[in-house]
Amino acid sequence: MQHYPADDQVVSQIETVRTASPEWVISTVELVELAENAERAAVQTNPETAERARKLIVEVAEWQQKLSEWQGLNLSPRLKAELRILKATLDASMDEANAAAAELHLLN
């Protein structure tokens, strides 16, 4: 069986993504719901909520970048598959979060 030394480096850090992904997805869904409700009610976003949304977007973007970098390493097929799945999840979450943030004018 082939040994993939880079796996050790990635596996030691990927637990953060595995653990945080469900939380990021839930936060993204809440942001989308907030954007839809705010648009209907024509209300301004709470500054604390806006800051939390910005932090979510920055944190997920940083992990997207890290996952992209890891995909370039010589990793085991199992780990490469997991990275593709996690990256696709984060990509979808970012698309939703960015759209909601734009509706709430958080990126201005």
Side-chain angles (χ1 to χ4, degrees):
M1 184 165 152
Q2 185 175 353
H3 179 66
Y4 296 90
D7 278 20
D8 297 334
Q9 168 193 343
V10 173
V11 169
S12 69
Q13 297 180 56
I14 201 167
E15 188 59 37
T16 301
V17 180
R18 290 176 183 148
T19 303
S21 276
E23 183 182 317
W24 291 333
V25 170
I26 290 168
S27 294
T28 300
V29 170
E30 289 171 351
L31 179 60
V32 169
E33 185 176 31
L34 175 67
E36 289 178 10
N37 290 338
E39 184 179 25
R40 277 194 300 255
V43 296
Q44 292 292 324
T45 304
N46 173 323
E48 196 172 281
T49 301
E51 184 58 27
R52 199 173 79 235
R54 284 187 204 96
K55 285 182 181 178
L56 168 71
I57 291 168
V58 168
E59 185 174 18
V60 171
E62 288 171 351
W63 280 106
Q64 279 181 300
Q65 179 61 38
K66 193 170 280 202
L67 289 172
S68 292
E69 291 168 8
W70 288 342
Q71 286 176 318
L73 298 175
N74 183 26
L75 301 172
S76 66
R78 184 205 67 76
L79 190 52
K80 279 190 175 190
E82 183 177 4
L83 290 177
R84 282 191 303 272
I85 292 166
L86 289 170
K87 178 90 170 50
T89 300
L90 294 186
D91 289 349
S93 181
M94 277 301 283
D95 289 347
E96 294 292 334
N98 282 325
E103 282 184 41
L104 294 168
H105 307 287
L106 300 180
L107 304 176
N108 300 340

